[in-house]
Amino acid sequence: MKRAAARPRTRSLRRQLLVGILVPASLFIAYNTHSLYRQTLASLHTAYDRTLLASAKSISEQIDVTGYDDAAQLRAIVPYSALEAFEADNQSRMFYRVSDLHGGLVSGFAELPFWHGSIPARPPYAALVDFYDDQFRGRPVRVAVLLQPVATPQGRGMAVIQVAETLELRQTLALQILWTTLARQALLVVAIGVIVVLVVQQATRPVRQLSARLQNRPEDDLRPISAPSAPRELQPLIDATNHFMLRLSHLLAHQKRFVRDASHQLRTPLAVLKTQVQSALRGDAPPEQALHEISDTVERATQLANQMLALAKVEQLRQQSAPPVTRLDEELRAIALELSPLIAQRDLDFGIHTDPAPVQAHEWMLRELTRNLLHNAIRHTPVSGVLSVELRTDGRHIALTVADSGPGIDAELAQRLFQPFSAGDVRTGSGLGLAICQEIVQALDGQIELSNRMDGARVVGLDAVVRLPLASADNPPPADRKKMAA
């Protein structure tokens, strides 16, 4: 037992929206969070750098000097308790170093590297201060350097005061802000995801409702979809579906009609043929006569089958788009040459005049149209009668006129002559020739009409007039005209 073919995986609109929205949003949130973390650290540095500067100024108040300038001797007695007031908690530690301009240690931690930088041209505070990052005892520290002039009655000099602080408190606060921000951003991403799911669910509800309605329809229900409450974005799909269902309905109706007509129309000649064969086998008629009768029946059945297939082929070609440009005048003359033996057999006074006439149509359709019109005209024109064909153009349209000198048509018969199997004389035709012409002309977006040609009150012939659009750049093919109209 064969396994059913695996259903191809289809893309989910919900998944596409989630990925298309959440991925860029997450990348933006990650970048924004990183930037926020850096900005938070910068803000914390600004806030705590002020504390470092205050510590350095507090230390500067504990410095004495003896001597002047290069001979100045600095002395500082700074108890560590002086820095405890500036330690916010037990997480961070503060260290200091007081030096002269040449790096000589005056007081503090000798391991703290001496400053070799320079004071910024525009320091952040009203003091000769510089801030930088360094390492002390294997730990990262933030260092404030203050160049503090010292003056006493005993001398004058310049002290270099360095105050370093470990970064535990700053990093802890930055991480707290970071985690708080990440939690809020995660809630934002979840909210976006939930909103996308709900919005997609709501937006696709009309599609699901429409799908359910179509699935619950009977198999033969091809009525247009009526969905006035559907979103505007779905209307093109609904219109295209309705157009497709209309075409499908037309095709199915044509198929049913073809099957019905074929079963009905072919039954009679086949039954007659069977009867004739049985009669010939019994010897009811001479063999030669029986064969002639069988040949006539087969010929009528063949003609009927060919015309029914031609009628079906018209519908098939109608569904094809963008037919080629074909010269109707060339096809008309070719068919007239093909039927010339029949014209000569009936000794007809035949005349033909054609203008160049390009038509957007399949060659077969034009040949079938002209063959049926000419064949009907030849059959109904009396022996030695007059038959004329004219093909004129006016720049936008083509007018093909086939004028015979036959008896014309009755007004009652003219109403149904284009219907299938409505021949005026069932002994000479199947009644499909003009029906085929009608189908071809309608497929080419044209018109066909039959009218008696009068001489006073007397009918002197029949005019079959076909009008078709001329192929040009301003005149699109019939299939394209129907699409534009739809």
Side-chain angles (χ1 to χ4, degrees):
M1 184 177 180
K2 294 183 179 180
R3 296 182 58 184
R7 185 178 179 179
R9 295 186 60 184
T10 56
R11 293 183 297 177
S12 168
L13 180 61
R14 184 182 306 167
R15 185 181 297 111
Q16 284 184 332
L17 286 176
L18 283 173
V19 173
I21 293 177
L22 292 184
V23 170
S26 300
L27 293 176
F28 176 77
I29 288 174
Y31 173 77
N32 186 50
T33 302
H34 176 71
S35 300
L36 180 62
Y37 178 69
R38 294 179 63 88
Q39 292 175 2
T40 301
L41 281 179
S43 299
L44 290 174
H45 282 324
T46 301
Y48 283 96
D49 284 352
R50 187 184 298 272
T51 302
L52 287 178
L53 178 60
S55 301
K57 288 184 176 180
S58 176
I59 293 174
S60 67
E61 296 175 355
Q62 310 295 326
I63 301 176
D64 291 331
V65 62
T66 57
Y68 294 90
D69 299 329
D70 292 339
Q73 297 291 325
L74 299 175
R75 183 177 67 253
I77 303 176
V78 183
Y80 190 81
S81 59
L83 299 178
E84 291 181 353
F86 299 99
E87 293 181 350
D89 53 20
N90 293 327
Q91 294 185 15
S92 58
R93 298 293 304 277
M94 298 186 71
F95 309 93
Y96 77 97
R97 173 183 175 134
V98 179
S99 310
D100 57 22
L101 285 177
H102 304 289
L105 178 66
V106 176
S107 178
F109 293 83
E111 309 99 292
L112 186 63
F114 180 69
W115 171 71
H116 295 284
S118 60
I119 300 299
R122 294 183 178 180
Y125 302 102
L128 298 177
V129 62
D130 182 28
F131 298 95
Y132 64 95
D133 296 320
D134 204 349
Q135 293 282 330
F136 181 64
R137 294 180 179 176
R139 300 165 66 183
V141 292
R142 180 72 172 173
V143 184
V145 179
L146 175 64
L147 299 184
Q148 180 64 43
V150 180
T152 64
Q154 291 79 23
R156 180 181 66 245
M158 180 70 73
V160 179
I161 304 170
Q162 296 172 254
V163 179
E165 181 186 21
T166 57
L167 303 179
E168 290 88 353
L169 179 60
R170 303 186 187 206
Q171 293 175 345
T172 300
L173 291 176
L175 287 176
Q176 288 179 355
I177 296 175
L178 175 63
W179 287 118
T180 302
T181 302
L182 285 177
R184 293 178 179 177
Q185 303 289 14
L187 288 176
L188 176 61
V189 172
V190 172
I192 292 175
V194 172
I195 291 173
V196 168
V197 171
L198 294 177
V199 169
V200 171
Q201 190 77 7
Q202 183 67 23
T204 56
R205 179 178 298 174
V207 178
R208 296 194 300 273
Q209 293 175 346
L210 188 60
S211 176
R213 287 171 53 189
L214 290 176
Q215 289 178 351
N216 294 331
R217 277 190 174 191
E219 293 182 357
D220 57 347
D221 188 356
L222 295 177
R223 292 173 301 166
I225 301 172
S226 177
S229 60
R232 181 171 53 192
E233 290 77 9
L234 281 181
Q235 290 303 324
L237 176 61
I238 294 175
D239 293 341
T241 303
N242 286 338
H243 181 66
F244 173 77
M245 293 176 69
L246 180 63
R247 291 169 52 197
L248 182 60
S249 176
H250 183 73
L251 286 174
L252 291 177
H254 185 272
Q255 183 182 25
K256 290 179 180 178
R257 187 183 68 180
F258 176 80
V259 173
R260 183 185 66 246
D261 293 342
S263 62
H264 177 72
Q265 297 296 327
L266 290 177
R267 185 182 293 114
T268 300
L270 290 178
V272 171
L273 181 61
K274 181 178 180 181
T275 302
Q276 291 173 338
V277 171
Q278 291 175 347
S279 177
L281 291 175
R282 290 194 304 264
D284 296 341
E288 185 175 353
Q289 178 184 349
L291 287 176
H292 279 299
E293 292 175 353
I294 292 174
S295 176
D296 292 340
T297 303
V298 171
E299 184 177 354
R300 287 196 298 272
T302 302
Q303 180 185 4
L304 176 61
N306 288 336
Q307 288 189 320
M308 292 187 66
L309 292 175
L311 196 61
K313 186 172 182 179
V314 172
E315 186 62 28
Q316 178 186 4
L317 293 178
R318 186 201 296 264
Q319 304 304 319
Q320 299 180 7
S321 60
V325 175
T326 307
R327 289 282 296 272
L328 177 57
D329 54 308
E330 295 178 356
E331 300 302 327
L332 180 60
R333 289 187 173 273
I335 294 299
L337 183 61
E338 179 182 319
L339 297 179
S340 59
L342 291 179
I343 297 174
Q345 183 181 358
R346 299 181 67 85
D347 193 24
L348 301 181
D349 183 5
F350 180 71
I352 183 171
H353 174 81
T354 59
D355 292 340
V359 180
Q360 200 88 28
H362 294 277
E363 177 183 336
W364 179 90
M365 299 178 79
L366 296 181
R367 294 179 68 88
E368 195 69 18
L369 171 65
T370 54
R371 180 183 289 108
N372 279 282
L373 290 177
L374 278 175
H375 196 275
N376 281 343
I378 293 172
R379 190 171 68 242
H380 291 94
T381 301
V383 176
S384 301
V386 178
L387 175 60
S388 65
V389 178
E390 286 191 356
L391 181 60
R392 304 287 186 180
T393 61
D394 61 2
R396 291 187 59 85
H397 297 87
I398 294 170
L400 169 63
T401 303
V402 180
D404 62 40
S405 54
I409 56 174
D410 296 333
E412 180 182 355
L413 180 60
Q415 300 296 326
R416 55 184 177 84
L417 202 55
F418 289 111
Q419 298 177 5
F421 311 106
S422 298
D425 186 357
V426 296
R427 295 171 301 177
T428 59
S430 62
L432 285 176
L434 289 177
I436 294 173
C437 294
Q438 172 84 333
E439 291 291 331
I440 292 175
V441 170
Q442 289 181 349
L444 300 180
D445 199 20
Q447 296 177 343
I448 183 173
E449 60 181 15
L450 302 177
S451 60
N452 289 328
R453 191 168 62 258
M454 309 297 294
D455 183 8
R458 185 170 63 92
V459 177
V460 296
L462 179 70
D463 290 346
V465 182
V466 175
R467 294 180 178 86
L468 298 175
L470 192 66
S472 64
D474 300 330
N475 200 11
D480 294 343
R481 284 195 293 273
K482 292 177 182 177
K483 290 180 182 178
M484 290 188 293

